[in-house]
Amino acid sequence: MNNGCKISLKYLSTLILTLLFFCITVNSSARYYLNHGHPIPAILDTIPKKNIPVIKDTVVIDSASLDTLPFHSDSVSQRVDTIRLPVSKDSLDAPIAYSAQDSVVLDVPTKNITLYNKATTQYKDIDLAAYNIRMDQTNNLLLATYARDTTGEMIGRPKMTQAGTKMESDSMVFNMKTQKGITINTFTQSGEMYVMGEKMKKISKDDYFAFRGRFTTCNLDTPHFAFRTNKMKLINKEMAITGPIHPEFEGVPIPIYIPFGYFPISAGRHSGFLAPTFDVSSQYGLGLDGIGYYKVLSDNFDVALTANIYSYGGYNLYLRPEYRVRYRYTGHLFIAYQDTKTLSSSGKSAYDENKTYNFQWAHTVDSKAHPGQNFSASVNLMSAKFNNYNLTNPTAVFNNSINSSIAFSKTFDDGKYNLTLNANHNQNNLNGLVNITAPSVGFTAITIYPFAPKDFIGTPKWYYKLGIGLSSNITGNTSFYDSLSSFHHILDTFKYGAQNNIPITLSLPPLGFLQITPGVSFQNRIFSNKYDYKWDTVLQKLDTSSMKGIYFANSLAFSLGFSTAIYGTFTNFGKNSRILGIRHTVRPTISISYSPDLSKSYYTSPPVQYTKEGNIQSFNQFNGNVYSAFSPGTFGGASFGLDNNIEMKVKSKTDTTNGANEKIKLIDGFGFNGSYNYLADSFKLSPIYFYLRSTLFKQINISASTTLNPYQHDSLGININKYAWEGKGFSLGQIIGGNIAISTSFKSKPKDPKKEEQDKKNLEENQIPMTQEEQQAQLDYIRQNPGEFVDFNISWSVNISYSLSFSNTFVVNKFVTQLNSALILNGDFNLTEKWKMGFNCYYDVKNLKMQSLTTFLSRDMHCWQLAINVTPVGPYRSFNITINPKSSILRDLHINRTRTFY
């Protein structure tokens, strides 16, 4: 009995070891199968050798062919058997990685692996996650389903990601070899489009077919709106094509059917038609605004052609090409032609017709593209009345000064020389006067020190710092009225000139608290016209005649400058005061200079009569050229100035450590400057210029300036050689003019600071060059479409800008002050989390009249937006209401109502 027990235990031990070895071998074979895609027999020794293909090759090795060592002369033969393992037809070309939280069940006979609870698989670029995943190795299928918890809620809904496309379904069947599959109740996203299909068939990596599909741009599980169709094909990140389709809102179908639908969902730009908006104007009639076509010509170039068409016969054409090469350059053009027909108020004809144009070009070059070289352009050319007929920008009519500039610069020889080429244009739309300065060529050489050795040891000598520089300019200029412009007239009024300046400076070491700077300067100017002045005794007027040629003028000046800085502090504010002290810094400057009279021959001699009362004056014969002649007479005097700034030091609120203080600038600078000519026979003291600039509390920007005339005047307002404080009474002089500008902005803290930083970063990266007028046009577009730009992350914001300018002009025996003052306010605030209201107004303080007022009301409707814009005050009054989806691919699907009144 005991022996039987022993034999049984021994037999049982042997059986258990055999079973364990078999399980380990099978498990290893299964894992090898999953990782390499083809099966290997579990136990090779149990397979008959006759089932293994054997290739009998006899390889003859000759000892003589191998080396020279002595071997037997008989040839040596070696028999090699090569084993070829059969490759399964259902093998995969990549490994599969899998995991599960609960369990992994391997069914060897059926070659199925089932994963339970938070199961995941990865095969190539396919990631699949679900509650239950079954891998059918025989058919190369992946089957994924969900489960329900004890409360009946769905858990572990299958989710698959491939090539950036995410798909979520109730169940999935996917063939790993053919990349085809069928899903039930599938939800996926392609670009801005969210697609749902009761049954979807995947036929390739990017192509899908859907039965009873629904697609929308709303990302909610139950979208606010959607489009329903029974048949749909989706090409990932390219397009969606449907059969008969109809919309639904809040799940309610709308009985509006179209035979088919085409929705471009490709990322980036794509060509297409631009849908118009409807407009109604009492002056222009019914209108279609913004109809046109957008064409992508290449990765770096696109163009948009749009038009505004009105029922009274007027139309506007706009061409907007744009180009951009990353890390190289970017820019765009804007070409506009307006043929405006408005109802006539004169009664002579039914309509008044005006034709105007506008050409704009903006271009910038990345500084890294060509180090040491830069090119930029901001060009704006237009008819004088173009802004008067600009319906889309009601504030443009107030902009009467138009400017343009084109600039190129290049440095040579490690920055020793600099070459600049410029062209500038300015235009006054009130009188139509156009000034063009082109070309303007400048060449500058940095200061060289001829007496300074390249290498020296010890303290440098004082004459080592004697420097010589060079600055040269060549400029052309022409002026004309746009109504009289012609090529012949432009050439006839073209002028040119040149200027050369050679400064010689010497930087001496400080003499105590005093800095002394001597200098010598020589200037040369070249003119193209010379003018002669004569009094016509018959017609009692001054006649002017010009002579073309090449004329020269020279100037020589010697100077000795003194400058220093004086500090004063006040610290008696008490122990408990946050203010630690106030420092006042005074920087006086005095420059003594002498300039011989080299300009006497450039002025009329004897003086010429210029009024009926017999007033005489010496006129500058080079006045009206690109450069003016130098001032007449010998100058021997001093230029003086006094600059101040005031700073305050306070204890920090945020940092309470010892010595943690903050500096606050109370006044950035204020002072005056002028000059006094000792050698002049009259009017020795120049007008005094006063200025002030400050940034209070880092929020309020203030700047002001004025000019004081220290002389008395006669009955005609002409200065006489007598100071204002001489004679009866005391006066410092007459204020000639001045200006004050105050601006500030306030806004609430962002609700999400990270979003605010990201928005600023995106704005900087996508910023393109724009002219001032284009910036204004963009601001107007923002006002017309606030739903696209309002930032609910900022609860409120206010911008305030005030300007005042004045000038004193002598009129009929007295000085009359001409005053201009304007206040510009704009801001917005959240009424609720979804409602925002804003305004923008221009108020004429002088006439106590509001010149322009624009208001808007915006509603964030999640996937839609509502914008109401009203312009009740201004040359053009308008009302606009727009409801449209936020998504760019459905932006043309909008409801719009616009009325414009002149």
Side-chain angles (χ1 to χ4, degrees), residues 376-450:
S376 63
S378 177
V379 178
N380 186 19
L381 305 175
M382 68 170 59
S383 303
K385 294 185 178 181
F386 179 85
N387 287 335
N388 294 356
Y389 302 101
N390 191 344
L391 274 178
T392 61
N393 190 355
T395 61
V397 68
F398 301 108
N399 186 15
N400 296 312
S401 180
I402 308 300
N403 300 281
S404 303
S405 65
I406 301 176
F408 171 82
S409 63
K410 184 176 179 61
T411 58
F412 303 90
D413 196 8
D414 297 331
K416 294 182 179 179
Y417 308 101
N418 182 51
L419 175 67
T420 60
L421 301 174
N422 296 279
N424 298 284
H425 149 267
N426 64 78
Q427 175 180 336
N428 189 328
N429 283 344
L430 293 177
N431 55 22
L433 181 62
V434 179
N435 296 306
I436 297 178
T437 303
S440 179
V441 183
F443 178 79
T444 304
I446 64 171
T447 303
I448 61 174
Y449 301 92

Side-chain angles (χ1 to χ4, degrees), residues 504-515:
I504 302 175
T505 59
L506 178 62
S507 299
L508 297 177
L511 185 61
F513 61 87
L514 196 63
Q515 180 69 49

Side-chain angles (χ1 to χ4, degrees), residues 93-127:
D93 58 353
I96 298 178
Y98 60 90
S99 66
Q101 186 178 18
D102 191 350
S103 60
V104 178
V105 178
L106 173 63
D107 189 350
V108 176
T110 61
K111 296 183 180 180
N112 284 353
I113 299 177
T114 306
L115 315 175
Y116 292 97
N117 196 359
K118 295 183 179 180
T120 62
T121 62
Q122 293 88 34
Y123 172 69
K124 290 186 177 180
D125 61 342
I126 301 173
D127 293 340

Side-chain angles (χ1 to χ4, degrees), residues 585-639:
T585 305
V586 182
R587 291 184 174 86
T589 58
I590 298 176
S591 178
I592 301 174
S593 59
Y594 170 77
S595 178
D597 187 6
L598 303 180
S599 306
K600 185 177 182 180
S601 59
Y602 312 147
Y603 289 80
T604 56
S605 181
V608 179
Q609 179 182 346
Y610 65 96
T611 64
K612 296 179 181 180
E613 290 75 14
N615 298 91
I616 60 175
Q617 179 180 333
S618 292
F619 287 91
N620 183 354
Q621 293 183 299
F622 295 136
N623 190 25
N625 279 276
V626 176
Y627 299 101
S628 179
F630 301 102
S631 300
T634 301
F635 182 87
S639 300

Side-chain angles (χ1 to χ4, degrees), residues 134-154:
R134 180 162 61 90
M135 293 182 285
D136 186 346
Q137 302 173 28
T138 304
N139 300 311
N140 293 318
L141 294 179
L142 284 176
L143 299 92
T145 58
Y146 64 91
R148 293 188 181 275
D149 58 13
T150 56
T151 62
E153 294 293 330
M154 184 184 299

Side-chain angles (χ1 to χ4, degrees), residues 70-85:
F71 277 93
H72 296 289
S73 59
D74 298 337
S75 61
V76 179
S77 63
Q78 181 177 355
R79 182 183 180 88
V80 179
D81 292 339
T82 303
I83 298 177
R84 281 189 178 175
L85 299 179

Side-chain angles (χ1 to χ4, degrees), residues 551-576:
Y551 306 93
F552 298 89
N554 301 309
S555 174
L556 182 64
F558 304 90
S559 63
L560 184 63
F562 302 90
S563 62
T564 188
I566 304 172
Y567 302 93
T569 57
F570 181 79
T571 58
N572 297 328
F573 288 97
K575 296 182 179 180
N576 298 325

Side-chain angles (χ1 to χ4, degrees), residues 305-336:
L305 176 63
T306 58
N308 300 340
I309 304 173
Y310 302 98
S311 60
Y312 290 169
Y315 63 90
N316 304 333
L317 299 176
Y318 304 100
L319 182 66
R320 297 180 176 89
E322 184 174 333
Y323 54 90
R324 180 189 296 240
V325 178
R326 188 178 294 272
Y327 308 121
R328 295 286 300 279
Y329 54 82
T330 180
H332 67 278
L333 296 172
F334 174 76
I335 304 173

